Amino acid sequence: MEEFALSHISTGTIVARNQDHNVYQLDPKHGQGTASVHAVMPGVEVISLNFQTSRYIPTIHSKRNILELNHCKEGRAECKMNDGCLQYIGEGDLFMNTMSNHSQCIELPLGYYKGINITIDLEKFAGHLSEYLPDFPIDVPEIAHRFFLNDACFFIQAKEEIQHIFCGMYSVPIEARTTYFRLKVLEILIYLYYFDVVSEKQKTIYARQRVDIIKQIKKKMIQNLEQRFTIEELAQQYCISPTVLKTTFKGVYGVSIASYMKEYRIRQAASMLHKTQKSIGDIALAVGYKSQSKFGAAFKEIYEMSPLEYRSKH
């Protein structure tokens, strides 16, 4: 899986188009994914993202006075920002930035991502906002200034209010999306207008060098599934403290090393059950389980059926 840019690129092609809605599909050789772009108001686009890939290249706008809002429903995204920081968006998070500090490449550490991206041209939209909210004194550029007063981007970590705003945007019928998205953008702006910026704790920012080490460790583990590495020996081999290893791994991948590797092993086993004729015992050994009963219990925990039932069904 390679990379995907949202529009005007060779790896994505338009598969549907109408007056206010375009759907881009990822070239199959780069993975699987679609980006549905909706023009909902002057200067405002809502993009529904659904990817099965390791990275994509976002559209880079030439104008810098554009506000971006990114909501993650499923998966995880690593954004390499212009200011040198690495930011991680997890499920339920809302990440805000402007084009003066955008990400030129977005990595998907879990290999999949589903989310909503909203872009607002602050100059173009400001002149039209009163048409939609005539009795509400929202100054969108002022909202953006308030959120980016101390930094070039802002995190609102997963919370019930964010879930309430965005949940319907993933399930609304396609024929109602433009109108529904328009209402939701206005709701988001009202929410941000009243949001207490000072009280929101910002996420940890990780140095690229440390993240690179964590990715090397993850690569070593998934390439040697039959082995069981301890945190202590990995930390010693890569000259990193066990505590830093554990906390940074969770920061990058969203879960502990044990949880990540357990699910990865079982998903690889499921693939082998589907694509090969290997015995269940051999598959268990191949993914690091010496005990077939422990393998069966772990498999059932994730797939809610035994390995034998999975093979019969698929």
Side-chain angles (χ1 to χ4, degrees):
M1 293 184 292
E2 295 292 333
E3 56 190 35
F4 181 33
L6 297 186
S7 60
H8 310 300
I9 44 106
S10 58
T11 56
T13 56
I14 295 180
V15 295
R17 183 200 297 270
N18 62 33
Q19 186 175 359
D20 56 11
H21 174 214
N22 291 335
V23 178
Y24 296 86
Q25 185 169 323
L26 183 59
D27 186 321
K29 70 180 180 181
H30 294 286
Q32 297 178 350
T34 57
S36 301
V37 184
H38 298 261
V40 299
M41 287 178 281
V44 181
E45 286 185 341
V46 176
I47 306 171
S48 300
L49 308 173
N50 193 350
F51 296 143
Q52 293 284 335
T53 185
S54 59
R55 63 165 55 181
Y56 72 91
I57 307 299
T59 301
I60 304 301
H61 299 270
S62 56
K63 293 181 65 175
R64 290 293 177 258
N65 202 20
I66 289 180
L67 174 65
E68 270 198 325
L69 308 176
N70 293 280
H71 177 261
C72 174
K73 182 177 188 289
E74 298 172 7
R76 196 165 184 82
E78 174 192 283
C79 303
K80 298 177 174 138
M81 310 307 291
N82 259 2
D83 62 5
C85 296
L86 285 178
Q87 298 281 0
Y88 288 91
I89 309 172
E91 293 183 2
D93 291 339
L94 179 63
F95 179 60
M96 305 168 58
N97 64 284
T98 66
M99 284 298 111
S100 61
N101 186 34
H102 63 272
S103 178
Q104 298 201 28
C105 177
I106 297 178
E107 304 276 348
L108 306 180
L110 303 181
Y112 64 91
Y113 183 85
K114 186 173 184 178
I116 295 285
N117 169 271
I118 301 171
T119 61
I120 302 175
D121 184 325
L122 297 176
E123 295 173 3
K124 189 173 183 179
F125 180 55
H128 294 270
L129 182 56
S130 60
E131 299 172 19
Y132 302 97
L133 295 173
D135 301 319
F136 205 83
I138 288 184
D139 185 332
V140 182
E142 176 56 32
I143 290 177
H145 174 74
R146 183 161 53 89
F147 277 92
F148 306 126
L149 189 60
N150 298 316
D151 201 351
C153 51
F154 193 87
F155 250 109
I156 300 179
Q157 298 191 46
K159 48 175 55 71
E160 187 176 340
E161 296 93 330
I162 298 293
Q163 170 69 4
H164 171 76
I165 294 173
F166 280 92
C167 63
M169 297 178 76
Y170 296 97
S171 58
V172 63
I174 190 168
E175 61 271 15
R177 284 183 187 172
T178 299
T179 300
Y180 187 81
F181 287 169
R182 182 182 303 125
L183 295 173
K184 284 296 178 179
V185 169
L186 296 174
E187 184 180 359
I188 292 164
L189 291 175
I190 293 172
Y191 174 76
L192 295 177
Y193 179 79
Y194 287 108
F195 189 83
D196 184 355
V197 175
V198 176
S199 65
E200 184 70 11
K201 184 180 179 181
Q202 293 300 281
K203 283 194 170 185
T204 303
I205 297 171
Y206 298 96
R208 295 195 183 190
Q209 184 178 11
R210 184 175 293 176
V211 169
D212 287 343
I213 292 173
I214 295 302
K215 289 181 178 179
Q216 290 174 34
I217 292 173
K218 189 268 292 188
K219 185 177 180 180
K220 180 182 180 70
M221 290 190 294
I222 66 173
Q223 288 180 342
N224 298 277
L225 289 181
E226 72 285 356
Q227 292 183 248
R228 296 276 180 164
F229 299 98
T230 67
I231 289 175
E232 287 71 22
E233 64 184 334
L234 288 170
Q236 184 175 17
Q237 182 179 351
Y238 287 88
C239 300
I240 187 173
S241 79
T243 300
V244 170
L245 170 54
K246 290 188 288 186
T247 56
T248 308
F249 190 99
K250 189 168 185 179
V252 174
Y253 295 101
V255 293
S256 68
I257 295 175
S259 295
Y260 181 91
M261 289 307 299
K262 179 180 180 179
E263 180 159 346
Y264 188 89
R265 283 187 162 93
I266 297 304
R267 301 238 179 251
Q268 291 300 111
S271 178
M272 284 188 269
L273 286 166
H274 177 62
K275 296 177 180 179
T276 76
Q277 296 301 314
K278 289 182 177 181
S279 71
I280 291 175
D282 287 343
I283 289 174
L285 286 172
V287 297
Y289 284 89
K290 294 181 180 179
S291 166
Q292 193 168 323
S293 62
K294 287 184 178 179
F295 169 69
F299 194 96
K300 194 167 187 178
E301 185 179 330
I302 291 175
Y303 283 98
E304 298 183 343
M305 64 182 77
S306 70
L308 186 59
E309 289 170 329
Y310 182 89
R311 172 168 270 174
S312 299
K313 184 176 181 179
H314 292 275

